[in-house]
């Protein structure tokens, strides 16, 4: 009955859409509408072949070149997000000029006969700072982002109206090239709230996007949670996914809908300290072929990833993990706009699926490349010797409350007498702290590793305590997007007998703006071990694209000729920064480097190739110590049984709820008889049967993790990404075990398990045992 009702509503919506498109427009105008199992462009069936590229990640001077590259692939559409936080960096001050001129970008696409799919948020995810939301929203203490919070909706509406002013006239019915507009972004993996989605839909319409179909994108596992009857539903998945499975449910509930994968992931993004991600070209192309053969529309995310310049990179959580500056994504068009073997394989495929009367255009030549011979940076401005005016605050407050959006912040206070062994506890460090007593470095804390405390030596009363914190990207995914920076709550001294909260702070802000970094008192000097700004000029005979080699530097940011280029961190995997030639000039150029660690050698050179895969992480990313073997001999499983074959979530309920601090999942055999085990996502259920928060989980042990061919460590089972997974290494035999430290005592009543989604479901577990314990497992 429910099914019939849905179908009727859907068919009515569909007819209304199709007819409203045809009836009301004067002759000569174009339309884009929803037909029976197809999109309709001017009333004719149309398959969207979209290339996702982001105007913010490509210098405006190169937009045209990248659009030409997409055109030459055989794509007919460009898919873009609108990034709220780059347009409204201060409340009420909108910037749509130059690099931010999103309308100019769309018009350029139209010049090449390319349509636009617009995804205006308000939230966009995209490994972008705070998923595109402006940081200043967090100044409101109790804000609930991506909900019906009145302030959030009010600000969203103001922003969306501005986007409307820029782009509503570019809808296809009005002579422009916008054919579809997205409402929110993968909301199913955030919450279930149809009323909120309806509000965003109305805001999008209210901004003037009334003439083209509005759509939602989600995962096949959750697209129904927030699906509105009058919106088009599309599914996101990556290279390797089983196409039939991905659309199975959608076809059941909406048999007449056009099918579209609105994000088909060509590759994946890189995090600091984790292996560089790649995806196989053949597999990507065969997935696209599968879709084209079935008339399924797609957007290839990313066709060209480009660069997340300056401080705009986001982060994932749990565990907190910030994004690299390069957004190369292993996409068909490289970060610097070069064609790759993936590009040509894809071009060859698309040649067979060109729209009627269209041919592939010529591949444009790559932009010129230069090298820059090594030069030394000889002007230095130590950070502690260049303190700005402080603000005072009795209590610790996050950076936002000092009106600072990004960069580094110093909290300074005076200590009482401290006995040796006292713990300094910081709740919470966002994101990377250096702690000093009277100017001497005591230690560093890294949020990625869950570090939040330091044992202090004996310190005399009156010692000056400095906590210097670098904010990395704000989390761009899930509830952790409420990611305030600096120190979020408090700083305490703990010893056996007492807890003492430190108060009366002087707070110094170091923003990332060029005028701020330029004004430091630079003086001739040698490299320093501590945090400092470095400045140099260098001469070029010719400008051209180049990769700044940061291998001898520690951790920080680079500005060239006034433009923020990006973050660097010695741990890699990214070791070079893409420096677009259009921002360099013949003759004198200026470079400023903020290094919070201090360089090994204060020299720079420009390479003609990027280095994106040189990991120099301080500790292994895997979760098994040399010689460690899990001993389950005397443990009694809380559950055991056989999982079903096939895609999708499975749930197992224990006979009775149990208290647990540690959990072990042991896979005893696989569905296909092979050695490999793989898990995409895993939840534990609480007493009420609902999934428990995984925010503080850590992997205590995994018997085997594949890290040679890719990034398949066990923490992937709780990273909220259904397309990434834990996989055991080739050749390692069953049984396979993963132990999770829940980092709190909880009551567990069962678990949910999602197998890997790839064709054939490699690694799907058959028989299993589950164990819980209040104390650590034995080895
Ligand atoms: C999701 C989001 C995108 C991006 C990709 C991963 O699909 O919608 O914005 O974050 O994941 O790159």
């Amino acid at each position: 009955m429910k099914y019939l009702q849905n179908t009727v509503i859907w068919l009515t919506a569909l007819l209304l859409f199709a007819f409203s498109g045809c009836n009301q427009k004067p002759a000569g105008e174009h339309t884009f509408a929803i037909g029976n199992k197809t999109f309709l462009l001017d009333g004719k069936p149309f398959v969207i072949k979209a290339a996702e590229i982001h105007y913010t990640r490509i210098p405006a001077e190169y937009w045209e070149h990248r659009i030409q590259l997409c055109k030459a692939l055989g794509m007919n559409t460009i898919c873009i997000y609108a990034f709220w936080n780059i347009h409204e960096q201060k409340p009420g001050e909108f910037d749509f000029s130059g690099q931010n001129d999103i309308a100019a970008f769309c018009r350029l696409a139209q010049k090449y006969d390319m349509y636009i799919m617009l995804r205006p948020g308000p939230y966009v995810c995209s490994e972008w700072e705070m998923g595109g939301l402006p940081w200043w929203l967090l100044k409101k203490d109790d804000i609930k982002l991506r909900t019906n919070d009145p302030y959030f909706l009010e600000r969203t509406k103001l922003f969306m109206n501005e986007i409307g002013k820029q782009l509503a006239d570019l809808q296809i019915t009005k002579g422009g090239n916008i054919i579809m507009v997205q409402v929110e972004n993968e909301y199913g993996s955030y919450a279930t709230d149809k009323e909120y989605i309806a509000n965003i839909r109305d805001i999008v319409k209210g901004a003037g996007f009334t003439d083209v179909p509005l759509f939602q994108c989600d995962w096949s596992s959750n697209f129904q949670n927030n699906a509105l009857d009058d919106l088009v539903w599309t599914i996101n998945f990556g290279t390797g996914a089983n196409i039939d499975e991905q659309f199975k449910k959608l076809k059941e509930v909406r048999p007449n809908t056009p099918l579209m994968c609105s994000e088909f992931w060509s590759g994946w993004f890189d995090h600091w300290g984790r292996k560089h991600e790649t995806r196989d070209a053949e597999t990507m192309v065969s997935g696209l072929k599968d879709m084209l053969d079935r008339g399924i529309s797609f957007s290839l995310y990313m066709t060209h990833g480009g660069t997340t310049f300056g401080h705009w990179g986001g982060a994932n959580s749990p565990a907190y993990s910030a994004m690299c500056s390069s957004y190369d994504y292993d996409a068909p068009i490289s970060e610097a706009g070069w064609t790759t073997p993936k590009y040509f394989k894809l071009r060859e495929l698309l040649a067979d699926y060109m729209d009627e009367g269209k041919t592939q255009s010529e591949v444009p030549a790559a932009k010129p490349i230069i090298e820059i011979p090594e030069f030394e940076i000889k002007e230095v401005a130590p950070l502690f010797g260049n303190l700005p005016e402080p603000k005072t605050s009795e209590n610790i407050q996050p950076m936002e409350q000092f009106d600072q959006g990004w960069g580094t912040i110093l909290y300074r206070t005076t200590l009482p007498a401290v006995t040796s062994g006292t713990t300094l506890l910081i709740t919470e460090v966002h994101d990377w702290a250096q702690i000093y007593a009277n100017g001497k470095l005591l230690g560093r804390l890294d949020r990625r590793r869950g570090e939040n405390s330091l044992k202090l030596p004996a310190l005399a009363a009156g010692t000056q305590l400095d906590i210097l914190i670098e904010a990395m990207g704000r989390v761009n995914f899930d509830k952790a997007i409420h990611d305030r920076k600096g120190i979020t709550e408090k700083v305490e001294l703990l010893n056996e007998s007492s807890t003492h909260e430190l108060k009366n702070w002087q707070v110094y802000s170091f923003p990332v703006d060029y005028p701020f970094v330029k004004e430091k008192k630079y003086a001739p000097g040698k490299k320093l071990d501590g945090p400092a700004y470095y400045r140099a000029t260098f001469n070029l005979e010719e400008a051209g694209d180049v990769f700044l080699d940061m291998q001898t530097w520690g951790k920080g940011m680079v500005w060239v000729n006034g433009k923020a280029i990006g973050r660097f961190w010695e741990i890699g995997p990214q070791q070079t920064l893409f420096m677009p030639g259009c921002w360099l000039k013949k003759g004198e150029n200026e470079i400023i480097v903020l290094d919070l660690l201090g360089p090994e050698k204060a020299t720079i050179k420009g390479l003609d190739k990027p280095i994106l895969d040189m990991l120099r992480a301080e500790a292994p990313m895997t979760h098994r110590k040399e010689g460690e073997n899990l001993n389950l001999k005397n443990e009694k499983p809380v559950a055991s049984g056989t999982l079903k074959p096939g895609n999708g979530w499975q749930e197992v309920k224990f006979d009775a709820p149990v208290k647990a601090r540690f959990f072990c999942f042991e896979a005893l055999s696989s569905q296909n008889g092979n050695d490999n085990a793989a898990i995409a996502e895993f939840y534990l259920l609480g007493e009420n049967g609902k999934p428990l928060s995984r925010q503080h989980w850590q992997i205590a042990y995994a018997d085997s993790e594949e890290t040679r061919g890719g990034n398949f460590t066990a923490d992937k089972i709780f990273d909220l990404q259904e397309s990434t997974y834990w996989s055991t290494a080739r050749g390692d035999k069953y049984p396979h075990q993963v132990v999770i430290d829940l980092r709190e005592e909880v009551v567990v009543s069962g678990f949910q398990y999602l197998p890997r989604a790839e064709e054939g479901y490699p690694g799907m577990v058959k028989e299993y045992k589950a164990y819980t314990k209040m104390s650590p497992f034995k080895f």
Side-chain angles (χ1 to χ4, degrees):
M1 187 61 196
K2 180 107 193 283
Y3 169 75
L4 199 71
Q5 245 174 23
N6 276 345
T7 316
V8 170
I9 295 171
W10 169 237
L11 277 176
T12 321
L14 191 142
L15 287 175
L16 278 176
F17 230 125
F19 287 122
S20 66
C22 301
N23 283 347
Q24 293 169 358
K25 311 292 165 222
E29 280 192 358
H30 295 290
T31 58
F32 193 81
I34 308 300
N36 190 6
K37 294 188 182 153
T38 180
F39 293 109
L40 294 172
L41 177 65
D42 294 336
K44 294 206 192 98
F46 185 74
V47 175
I48 301 172
K49 287 169 273 181
E52 178 118 9
I53 61 177
H54 297 149
Y55 58 102
T56 51
R57 287 179 156 131
I58 306 166
E61 294 84 341
Y62 292 170
W63 286 347
E64 188 157 2
H65 179 251
R66 307 303 198 252
I67 290 168
Q68 287 172 332
L69 279 164
C70 297
K71 178 81 187 167
L73 267 175
M75 301 286 197
N76 56 24
T77 302
I78 300 282
C79 185
I80 56 167
Y81 280 128
F83 297 83
W84 178 1
N85 55 9
I86 211 163
H87 294 295
E88 194 182 0
Q89 300 195 20
K90 292 195 178 139
E93 290 179 24
F94 291 94
D95 179 1
F96 288 99
S97 63
Q99 184 67 46
N100 284 352
D101 194 344
I102 188 170
F105 178 89
C106 294
R107 278 190 227 103
L108 258 185
Q110 192 169 20
K111 177 172 160 195
Y112 290 93
D113 202 14
M114 303 280 270
Y115 299 102
I116 292 280
M117 276 177 68
L118 172 66
R119 313 202 292 155
Y123 163 84
V124 300
C125 195
S126 196
E127 292 68 72
W128 189 264
E129 151 90 14
M130 210 170 147
L133 303 177
W135 67 267
W136 42 261
L137 291 171
L138 296 173
K139 282 169 84 167
K140 187 165 178 286
D141 274 341
D142 59 348
I143 191 158
K144 300 228 164 24
L145 303 166
R146 302 180 75 195
T147 70
N148 290 319
D149 178 317
Y151 179 64
F152 181 74
L153 289 182
E154 176 197 321
R155 299 308 317 193
T156 297
K157 193 168 175 180
L158 289 170
F159 162 67
M160 203 61 77
N161 286 342
E162 294 299 316
I163 287 289
K165 284 184 206 159
Q166 298 295 319
L167 299 180
D169 280 347
L170 297 184
Q171 288 170 97
I172 188 165
T173 49
K174 298 181 194 285
N177 54 345
I178 298 176
I179 54 171
M180 297 244 277
V181 179
Q182 185 176 299
V183 174
E184 248 282 350
N185 190 76
E186 291 190 343
Y187 196 68
S189 44
Y190 188 76
T192 302
D193 187 349
K194 286 196 180 179
E195 195 187 321
Y196 166 72
I197 295 297
N199 281 331
I200 300 298
R201 174 203 57 202
D202 293 346
I203 287 173
V204 169
K205 280 190 179 169
F209 298 105
T210 49
D211 298 17
V212 295
L214 302 185
F215 71 104
Q216 291 173 274
C217 77
D218 268 300
W219 300 341
S220 62
S221 60
N222 61 20
F223 76 93
Q224 286 171 290
N225 295 358
N226 297 292
L228 297 192
D229 288 333
D230 58 343
L231 301 182
V232 178
W233 305 341
T234 68
I235 308 287
N236 294 349
F237 52 86
T239 285
N242 180 319
I243 309 290
D244 282 332
E245 281 290 348
Q246 291 292 332
F247 288 108
K248 200 166 142 205
K249 193 84 211 157
L250 176 59
K251 278 161 95 174
E252 270 167 38
V253 292
R254 274 192 173 176
N256 295 317
T257 188
L259 300 181
M260 171 153 203
C261 171
S262 45
E263 282 183 33
F264 184 64
W265 303 310
S266 61
W268 203 244
F269 49 87
D270 281 341
H271 304 239
W272 292 113
R274 297 209 203 155
K275 198 178 163 71
H276 174 55
E277 297 275 2
T278 56
R279 297 288 184 274
D280 180 55
E282 293 287 352
T283 319
M284 181 197 83
V285 167
S286 87
L288 289 169
K289 181 170 186 323
D290 254 18
M291 286 194 270
L292 287 165
D293 287 340
R294 294 165 165 81
I296 299 175
S297 292
F298 66 83
S299 176
L300 186 65
Y301 187 108
M302 298 297 293
T303 297
H304 168 48
T307 310
T308 315
F309 292 108
H311 62 275
W312 292 108
N316 275 182
S317 166
Y320 178 82
S321 177
M323 304 302 165
C324 294
S325 298
S326 167
Y327 201 59
D328 179 86
Y329 215 84
D330 195 30
I333 304 166
S334 82
E335 178 180 11
W338 300 347
T339 53
T340 62
K342 221 179 219 180
Y343 180 92
F344 288 107
K345 285 205 167 86
L346 177 58
R347 190 166 186 265
E348 209 179 293
L349 172 81
L350 293 179
D352 294 337
Y353 297 87
M354 291 305 290
D355 299 337
E356 212 185 305
K358 302 273 154 98
T359 48
Q360 277 167 325
S361 51
E362 286 293 305
V363 178
K367 296 282 173 191
I369 288 282
I370 59 166
E371 287 179 273
I372 305 175
E374 183 171 286
F375 62 91
E376 209 178 327
I377 303 205
K378 293 188 189 139
E379 284 183 295
V380 189
L383 183 135
F384 282 104
N386 278 272
L387 297 183
E389 274 304 303
K391 291 182 177 149
T392 54
S393 177
E394 189 191 342
N395 295 313
I396 281 283
Q397 297 187 72
M399 179 185 272
E400 291 77 6
Q401 295 308 335
F402 300 101
D403 226 9
Q404 185 185 348
W406 309 285
T408 297
I409 186 164
L410 171 65
Y411 296 90
R412 171 173 284 179
T413 193
T414 311
L415 289 173
V418 168
T419 51
S420 166
T422 298
T423 299
L424 179 78
L425 176 67
I426 306 182
T427 319
E428 300 181 346
V429 174
H430 289 190
D431 302 299
W432 190 79
Q434 305 195 82
I435 295 146
Y436 304 82
N438 285 341
K440 183 171 168 286
L441 180 69
L442 298 181
R444 299 192 171 105
L445 301 175
D446 184 348
R447 182 182 176 195
R448 295 176 318 133
R449 300 178 175 282
E451 294 166 351
N452 61 1
S453 66
L454 194 73
K455 285 263 182 262
L456 298 178
L459 297 167
T463 298
Q464 176 179 296
L465 174 76
D466 280 335
I467 308 177
L468 181 69
I469 305 213
E470 186 202 24
M472 306 230 17
R474 283 197 179 76
V475 173
N476 61 265
F477 191 57
D478 204 56
K479 302 289 189 305
I481 54 174
H482 297 81
D483 185 15
R484 295 180 173 86
K485 294 301 191 187
I487 301 176
T488 55
E489 276 177 48
K490 58 186 171 185
V491 180
E492 292 161 301
L493 295 174
L494 310 182
N495 57 32
E496 273 147 33
S497 55
S498 69
T499 301
H500 173 82
E501 183 176 345
L502 295 174
K503 301 258 183 183
N504 300 322
W505 298 89
Q506 287 199 299
V507 181
Y508 302 81
S509 293
F510 304 84
V512 292
D513 318 336
Y514 177 68
F516 178 85
V517 300
K518 188 180 169 58
E519 276 163 18
K520 304 284 138 249
K521 283 188 235 94
Y522 291 94
K526 287 252 171 262
K527 72 157 187 103
L528 297 172
D529 283 337
Y533 295 90
Y534 294 79
R535 199 182 81 96
T537 53
F538 57 100
N539 279 291
L540 293 179
E541 278 166 23
E542 218 60 69
D545 289 352
V546 66
F547 301 90
L548 300 177
D549 184 356
M550 303 308 294
Q551 283 184 83
T552 64
W553 294 81
K555 181 179 198 326
M557 270 209 189
V558 173
W559 294 258
V560 174
N561 296 335
K563 297 237 193 269
I565 302 307
R567 292 192 165 104
F568 60 90
W569 195 353
E570 59 183 10
I571 63 174
Q574 170 174 13
Q575 301 290 347
T576 55
L577 286 172
F578 174 53
M579 178 66 235
C582 56
W583 295 344
L584 291 171
K585 48 190 195 251
K586 193 172 166 171
E588 195 176 271
N589 295 268
E590 182 205 47
I591 182 164
I592 292 179
V593 180
L594 166 62
D595 194 334
L596 293 161
L597 264 172
E600 229 171 74
K601 241 171 63 174
T603 56
I604 293 274
K605 60 176 184 284
L607 308 181
D608 59 2
K609 277 187 225 56
I611 305 173
L612 298 180
D613 58 357
M614 191 193 285
L615 199 57
R616 297 193 294 195
E618 324 85 302
M621 300 162 299
T622 49
H623 301 91
R624 182 181 185 175
K625 296 194 192 91
E626 199 68 32
E628 202 176 43
N629 278 311
L630 183 65
N631 179 357
L632 294 170
K633 223 186 259 154
N634 297 319
E635 309 294 348
K636 199 170 151 299
V638 58
S640 60
T642 307
L643 295 163
K644 292 187 293 265
N647 197 18
W649 284 95
Q650 299 189 37
E651 191 169 292
V652 168
K653 280 265 163 60
F654 301 160
D655 293 340
V658 283
K659 271 180 116 186
R661 157 73 199 258
F662 296 89
F663 177 85
C664 170
F665 180 80
E666 184 176 35
L668 302 171
S669 61
S670 67
Q671 299 283 356
N672 61 9
N674 293 344
D675 292 334
N676 173 245
I679 296 181
E681 285 292 304
F682 197 91
Y683 278 95
L684 288 178
L685 304 173
E687 215 166 357
N688 57 4
K690 299 244 165 67
L692 291 168
S693 162
R694 307 181 295 179
Q695 194 65 38
H696 299 291
W697 285 16
Q698 277 175 3
I699 297 291
Y701 173 85
D703 74 297
S704 169
E705 292 163 285
E706 172 57 51
T707 53
R708 282 161 300 178
N711 206 353
F712 305 110
T713 48
D715 47 308
K716 297 284 179 289
I717 69 172
F718 59 84
D719 71 349
L720 295 155
Q721 301 278 4
E722 293 188 3
S723 64
T724 59
Y725 51 89
W726 166 45
S727 173
T728 56
R730 185 175 303 177
D732 288 352
K733 300 213 181 315
Y734 275 86
H736 293 298
Q737 302 106 355
V738 59
V739 177
I740 305 164
D741 179 356
L742 311 173
R743 309 216 11 249
E744 57 185 343
E745 288 171 14
V746 290
V747 176
V748 185
S749 66
F751 65 81
Q752 286 175 345
Y753 152 79
L754 184 73
R756 181 181 167 187
E758 264 73 358
E759 197 86 44
Y761 318 118
M764 188 176 282
V765 177
K766 193 171 176 189
E767 294 154 296
Y768 72 90
K769 283 186 182 161
Y771 303 84
T772 55
K773 264 176 91 76
M774 292 297 280
S775 55
F777 281 88
K778 302 244 163 16
F779 295 96

